[in-house]
Amino acid sequence: MAASPSKKKEGKSETTKVKRSRSRTRSRSRSRSRSRSRGRASRSPSRSSKASKSPSRKSVSPLRERTPTRRSLRLTLKSDNQEPLMEKESKVVTKTRNYEFGGPVGAYFMTLMLPVVVYAITFSCNKKSCTILKMPRIPTDVKSYLDVEATLIFLGWFAFQAILYMLPLGRVVEGQPLRNGKRLKYRCNGFIALMISLAAFGLAIHFKLLVTRVHDKLLQLITTGTIFSFVFSAVLYIKARKVPKSALAPGGNSGNFFYDFFLGHELNPRIGDFDLKFFCELRPGLIGWVMLNLIFISKTCMESGSPSPALMLVAICQIIYVADALWFEDAVLSTMDILHDGFGFMLVFGDLVWVPFLYSLQTRFLMESGQNLPWYCLAGIALLNLVGYYIFRGSNSQKNEYRKDPYNPALSHLESIPTGKGKRLLVSGWWGLCRKPNYLGDILMSVAWSLPCGFGNILPFFYPLYFFVLLIHRERRDAAQCEKKYGASWDRYCERVKYRIFPMIY
Ligand code: NDP
């Protein structure tokens, strides 16, 4: 089949890009060797180090370029071997060969089991107890699972958030470069959407609208969300079959229906400028979680006068966590969810059902049980949350600011090591403490949100337990991807920063 003129042009420019990329890679490889011979890590590149890339530096003796140690030779060979891979990577998304989550069988079972877990926990946590050790009462009539009112609430909320997302307010930021070299633009007005949603909630309370109906319809809302997630993921999968190969997700391109449906076949599905993944990641579910917490507080106020300090503490901590995510909304653009994972059932169901209905379990438990703790225990828990938040925010901001501008003078004290991809890896500051300081902070906060529930019931601890497993697994997934991306540089990073998540422990 004859290639269209535009394709020919594209092909030519790609060849030129590859040639340029080759020469760039070679020169990077040389500078890598040079920097290795000077020492393993260097300070963050300063403006002057930019200038040091000038041609005059090429006069460095070739003998000095190759550090004559057995180890560095092995590393050099390993990084040099990456060249063809890097060139290939920049053009098309190759077939997914390394399965995650147990491959197609694992994906199939997780698609079925995730909704079952949400239902099981919802049934098991009620006024009387919050445990998996007792068989819960399971309703058998259809009306308990699905009704028109809950469907309208769910769809109305989704539509309301979609309208807020489309408001021409807030900054427009560029995402990380895609495989085709382009960068997508994202409107970041999540914090404004949260403020408008909070104001709308305030108005609903003022006009005495029965917001607590949402609590009564929890099961029906979960069913609507689950059906919506299946239908939405199917539509996304069908849509993905029609997009160019370069738009597919590296992790969800196996050719197996169950696997790609679960992991997500397309990386950044959009309708015009409306980015479906970016929207779902932070809006309906995350703000929905805040709304559920406020609804539980309102219900307590209606039934027993005032919410317990324990309930207020957890609700405030979680609201701050969501507000933080939306304030730093553009930070999500450098996360695995946006860069690597496609938009499939895993993220759709996670964003729209798992997050709002399971992450609000502690506040629901505190509402149902009326459990409280002495003030000094709550003060200790608040302190733990603060420490977690400090680590979480400090590390995420440090990496995001560094990724945005490695020449940022405020970060010039940080040490980093170069990689063959042009990016550098931080090896000091928060990122010298362990490889995932942001996960450490997140885990500490998750524990702080469950402690106010006391130790009498196991299920309120579901969140930190699940989160611990999720982040351990996620760290390994990210490490595998970084190893593939950065090769020898990643090995050097791991040698320098020994612990994965918990300093001195793991
Ligand atoms: P990270 O924010 O750690 O992003 C991983 C990427 O960061 C890597 O792929 C790499 O990308 C870059 N990176 C890794 N190490 C370094 C380094 N030393 N220096 C510079 N860049 C580095 O992971 P996530 O996307 O998983 O998590 C983001 C946040 O979201 C975390 O705080 C996490 O706790 C939270 N989270 C919360 C969840 C929840 O349900 N509440 C679920 C999942 C995550 P590259 O080099 O290409 O830039």
Side-chain angles (χ1 to χ4, degrees):
M1 215 164 56
S4 69
S6 66
K7 272 191 183 156
K8 273 186 199 160
K9 206 173 150 196
E10 232 181 83
K12 198 176 163 195
S13 71
E14 265 172 5
T15 323
T16 327
K17 262 187 239 158
V18 169
K19 275 184 192 159
R20 267 192 227 130
S21 144
R22 253 183 216 144
S23 66
R24 241 181 278 139
T25 319
R26 263 183 230 125
S27 76
R28 270 189 217 130
S29 177
R30 262 181 243 132
S31 69
R32 267 204 305 274
S33 310
R34 275 201 298 270
S35 68
R36 239 177 264 137
S37 68
R38 268 184 256 126
R40 283 198 180 162
S42 64
R43 295 272 168 207
S44 289
S46 62
R47 301 262 174 214
S48 60
S49 76
K50 239 180 177 181
S52 72
K53 283 179 189 155
S54 68
S56 64
R57 298 279 301 177
K58 282 183 185 157
S59 60
V60 173
S61 149
L63 279 175
R64 257 197 83 191
E65 281 179 14
R66 302 268 163 196
T67 315
T69 67
R70 212 182 289 166
R71 205 190 108 66
S72 66
L73 185 66
R74 182 172 58 79
L75 295 179
T76 310
L77 287 173
K78 195 169 171 189
S79 12
D80 287 346
N81 284 342
Q82 285 170 19
E83 284 188 25
L85 190 95
M86 285 158 58
E87 284 163 12
K88 242 188 272 161
E89 257 183 19
S90 64
K91 282 188 217 161
V92 282
V93 176
T94 47
K95 277 253 179 262
T96 309
R97 305 237 178 268
N98 296 329
Y99 284 133
E100 298 172 303
F101 299 100
V105 177
Y108 175 75
F109 280 107
M110 283 186 79
T111 305
L112 296 181
M113 288 313 291
L114 291 180
V116 173
V117 171
V118 177
Y119 278 112
I121 291 177
T122 309
F123 291 144
S124 306
C125 205
N126 51 49
K127 257 197 158 37
K128 288 183 194 133
S129 65
C130 198
T131 177
I132 35 166
L133 303 176
K134 267 192 210 156
M135 185 65 191
R137 195 186 71 82
I138 300 174
T140 47
D141 58 314
V142 177
K143 251 196 130 9
S144 297
Y145 291 93
L146 199 60
D147 76 357
V148 177
E149 192 184 350
T151 308
L152 290 178
I153 293 173
F154 186 92
L155 296 178
W157 175 251
F158 192 86
F160 175 57
Q161 289 303 320
I163 292 167
L164 296 184
Y165 177 73
M166 288 187 287
L167 289 179
L169 301 168
R171 300 172 296 141
V172 174
V173 300
E174 282 192 331
Q176 301 268 323
L178 299 172
R179 277 167 190 266
N180 60 11
K182 288 184 190 155
R183 285 171 182 257
L184 293 174
K185 287 193 165 64
Y186 298 85
R187 182 172 289 285
C188 293
N189 60 10
F191 194 75
I192 299 172
L194 174 67
M195 290 301 126
I196 296 176
S197 305
L198 288 175
F201 185 83
L203 285 177
I205 295 287
H206 180 75
F207 289 109
K208 298 197 166 35
L209 294 185
L210 222 53
V211 290
T212 50
R213 287 288 289 162
V214 171
H215 169 264
D216 306 335
K217 297 274 167 193
L218 223 50
L219 204 51
Q220 291 94 331
L221 284 167
I222 290 172
T223 309
T224 312
T226 305
I227 296 173
F228 186 87
S229 300
F230 273 105
V231 174
F232 191 21
S233 309
V235 171
L236 288 168
Y237 181 80
I238 295 166
K239 178 182 176 306
R241 308 267 304 174
K242 299 192 170 75
V243 299
K245 290 257 180 287
S246 61
L248 297 179
N253 185 29
S254 69
N256 179 287
F257 167 74
F258 291 119
Y259 192 78
D260 296 347
F261 174 84
F262 181 74
L263 264 287
H265 200 27
E266 188 180 351
L267 187 60
N268 302 297
R270 285 186 160 209
I271 302 172
D273 283 343
F274 195 106
D275 193 289
L276 296 165
K277 183 164 66 169
F278 183 64
F279 166 68
C280 287
E281 278 280 292
L282 293 173
R283 307 302 180 84
L286 220 54
I287 302 179
W289 173 20
V290 169
M291 292 298 133
L292 283 175
N293 280 349
L294 295 179
I295 286 164
F296 298 154
I297 292 175
S298 306
K299 193 165 168 67
T300 319
C301 290
M302 277 170 64
E303 288 178 357
S304 57
S306 66
S308 67
L311 170 56
M312 287 306 289
L313 175 68
V314 179
I316 290 170
C317 290
Q318 295 186 343
I319 291 170
I320 291 173
Y321 183 76
V322 173
D324 173 276
L326 294 167
W327 182 263
F328 296 98
E329 191 176 15
D330 59 330
V332 82
L333 298 176
S334 64
T335 62
M336 275 171 74
D337 289 1
I338 297 291
L339 298 179
H340 177 80
D341 294 336
F343 196 37
F345 187 78
M346 178 177 79
L347 285 184
V348 172
F349 184 78
D351 292 340
L352 303 181
V353 181
W354 189 273
V355 167
F357 296 106
L358 288 189
Y359 285 21
S360 59
L361 191 67
Q362 295 99 324
T363 49
R364 187 158 75 84
F365 168 78
L366 290 168
M367 173 205 72
E368 307 271 21
S369 68
Q371 157 100 27
N372 199 16
L373 287 179
W375 70 267
Y376 49 86
C377 292
L378 293 180
I381 292 168
L383 188 67
L384 177 66
N385 186 72
L386 214 64
V387 171
Y389 180 75
Y390 181 69
I391 301 173
F392 165 85
R393 180 45 38 225
S395 54
N396 274 325
S397 290
Q398 201 169 63
K399 176 171 68 83
N400 292 332
E401 289 310 311
Y402 187 73
R403 278 287 172 258
K404 265 195 256 167
D405 178 12
Y407 305 106
N408 185 341
L411 304 174
S412 60
H413 62 286
L414 295 177
E415 283 178 84
S416 61
I417 54 171
T419 72
K421 289 278 183 179
K423 286 181 178 178
R424 302 174 72 95
L425 291 165
L426 290 168
V427 288
S428 72
W430 286 115
W431 297 84
L433 189 70
C434 61
R435 287 179 226 154
K436 289 287 183 196
N438 48 355
Y439 288 8
L440 172 67
D442 228 337
I443 289 172
L444 292 181
M445 282 191 283
S446 73
V447 174
W449 302 345
S450 288
L451 286 175
C453 303
F455 296 108
N457 293 276
I458 178 79
L459 271 185
F461 283 86
F462 170 79
Y463 178 66
L465 291 174
Y466 138 81
F467 203 49
F468 182 78
V469 174
L470 172 93
L471 293 185
I472 296 272
H473 178 241
R474 197 174 165 93
E475 186 278 329
R476 288 191 175 256
R477 283 182 72 210
D478 192 43
Q481 282 156 27
C482 287
E483 162 95 65
K484 201 167 141 198
K485 214 171 5 175
Y486 298 130
S489 308
W490 183 255
D491 292 346
R492 277 192 292 141
Y493 170 62
C494 294
E495 255 175 45
R496 170 83 189 250
V497 183
K498 294 233 174 331
Y499 297 98
R500 290 172 186 269
I501 301 179
F502 303 99
M504 315 305 289
I505 301 173
Y506 172 75

